Amino acid sequence: MSRKYAILGETLKHTMSPPIHARLFELKNREYEYEILEVKPEELKDKAEYLNSLNGYNITIPHKIGIIDYTDELDQSAKRYHSVNCVDNKNGRHVGYNTDCDGFLRTVRAMNIDFTGKILLIGCGGVGRMMAIEAALAGADLYIAVLESDMPLAKQVEKEIKAMKSDARITIVLNTEIPTDVHYELLMNACPVGMYPKTNACPVPDEVIEASGAVFDVIYNPRETLLMQKAKAMGKNAVGGMAMLVWQAVSAHEIWDGDEYTDEEVQSIIDEMEIAVEKDFK
């Protein structure tokens, strides 16, 4: 019997969710329907009953907080960020999850990196805040580099982290004053510098890339940002944001159906989706 799923958002013209989830369902030979639901915030209440009739659904901007009112329970990940991007319907009980953090942690794991050394994060708004929290909780010696205008935001994130893990190691620096006399196990970019259409920009100077062992850039359009190109030219492992999108979708399928996927299967979907995005914007 076909199971029903959806992606809920307001503007979903370029969403990658349908093709990613299609590939994951197909790999397990599952019969499914996966629809796109464009809903304005003021329409969410009227749509809630329909959403709760589905087997599960994904949520994106601007409904990640609003949808909480229509869940029966929140997983720890959703409680931590007060944000839900995946709902599972188990016998009429609707549980909200935040699989963004799973997507992030599993992307880094697939890069064969743990969070024991120094980790440099550029930007800490939105997804960057989640990355900062997850990296610090996992034990990273975390450096957060921000614009002067974002200093209060970075200090607020530090305060949040310290409330969860009092011995967390966090250093906040201006993005123009990133120390280059240390080795960063991983450089993570969570700011929009380098995103399509302004693809000729890089968020950090070459010396910072040289001081880093590997690079993870949350941007997935273009497929390879200038930051990633520079890192690869220096012989470093560099991964783009599509990996995180696919891994968080994998977590959703584990929640919904208990399905498991190999690293090779996931990587093949990442490659396929990166090519699809490249074609879509040409």
Side-chain angles (χ1 to χ4, degrees), residues 151-197:
M151 269 291 176
L153 177 64
K155 286 178 178 168
Q156 178 57 39
V157 171
E158 179 183 30
K159 195 173 164 186
E160 281 184 77
I161 293 169
K162 290 285 178 89
M164 293 183 244
K165 183 176 165 64
S166 58
D167 62 345
R169 295 170 293 167
I170 300 162
T171 306
I172 301 170
V173 297
L174 287 172
N175 62 350
T176 52
E177 297 174 6
I178 299 168
T180 53
D181 57 347
V182 296
H183 173 76
Y184 302 105
E185 187 181 2
L186 179 66
L187 160 60
M188 309 189 298
N189 178 46
C191 81
V193 176
M195 189 187 291
Y196 178 89

Side-chain angles (χ1 to χ4, degrees), residues 2-171:
S2 183
R3 286 161 64 84
K4 292 188 174 183
Y5 301 89
I7 171 75
L8 169 71
E10 185 170 17
T11 307
L12 296 169
K13 186 183 173 189
H14 292 295
T15 179
M16 294 302 295
S17 284
I20 291 171
H21 288 283
R23 290 291 290 113
L24 290 166
F25 283 124
E26 286 160 10
L27 279 171
K28 298 301 168 187
N29 298 312
R30 290 197 175 274
E31 286 185 39
Y32 72 96
E33 291 174 42
Y34 190 96
E35 63 181 311
I36 293 173
L37 297 174
E38 291 194 326
V39 176
K40 292 183 170 64
E42 62 271 21
E43 299 167 345
L44 185 57
K45 188 177 180 182
D46 294 334
K47 207 73 181 173
E49 191 177 338
Y50 176 71
L51 287 165
N52 284 341
S53 73
L54 302 172
N55 295 99
Y57 57 96
N58 301 114
I59 305 98
T60 189
I61 295 165
H63 301 301
K64 289 186 177 187
I65 296 172
I67 201 66
I68 290 172
D69 291 341
Y70 306 103
T71 60
D72 299 305
E73 184 186 334
L74 294 183
D75 176 72
Q76 280 303 116
S77 58
K79 283 180 186 171
R80 182 180 296 163
Y81 297 103
H82 192 65
S83 173
V84 167
N85 75 331
C86 175
V87 170
D88 180 42
N89 177 359
K90 284 281 190 286
N91 304 314
R93 186 164 183 80
H94 300 88
V95 183
Y97 296 81
N98 186 317
T99 64
D100 285 333
C101 41
D102 296 328
F104 165 60
L105 291 170
R106 293 170 80 164
T107 297
V108 175
R109 177 193 62 79
M111 294 174 75
N112 293 315
I113 289 169
D114 58 26
F115 288 110
T116 52
K118 290 181 169 63
I119 305 287
L120 173 61
L121 172 67
I122 313 299
C124 66
V127 69
R129 171 176 165 263
M130 176 273 290
M131 290 162 68
I133 292 170
E134 293 298 324
L137 293 183
D141 183 355
L142 183 65
Y143 285 69
I144 303 174
V146 292
L147 300 167
E148 194 156 3
S149 57
D150 286 336
M151 269 291 176
L153 177 64
K155 286 178 178 168
Q156 178 57 39
V157 171
E158 179 183 30
K159 195 173 164 186
E160 281 184 77
I161 293 169
K162 290 285 178 89
M164 293 183 244
K165 183 176 165 64
S166 58
D167 62 345
R169 295 170 293 167
I170 300 162
T171 306

Side-chain angles (χ1 to χ4, degrees), residues 222-261:
R223 180 182 185 176
E224 273 195 7
T225 58
L226 185 56
L227 169 62
M228 291 172 63
Q229 289 170 27
K230 285 174 177 260
K232 285 184 175 180
M234 295 175 193
K236 300 174 190 296
N237 184 14
V239 171
M242 186 59 73
M244 193 162 105
L245 272 187
V246 174
W247 276 113
Q248 61 92 6
V250 169
S251 288
H253 284 250
E254 290 171 349
I255 292 163
W256 292 335
D257 298 309
D259 288 337
E260 293 181 4
Y261 301 85

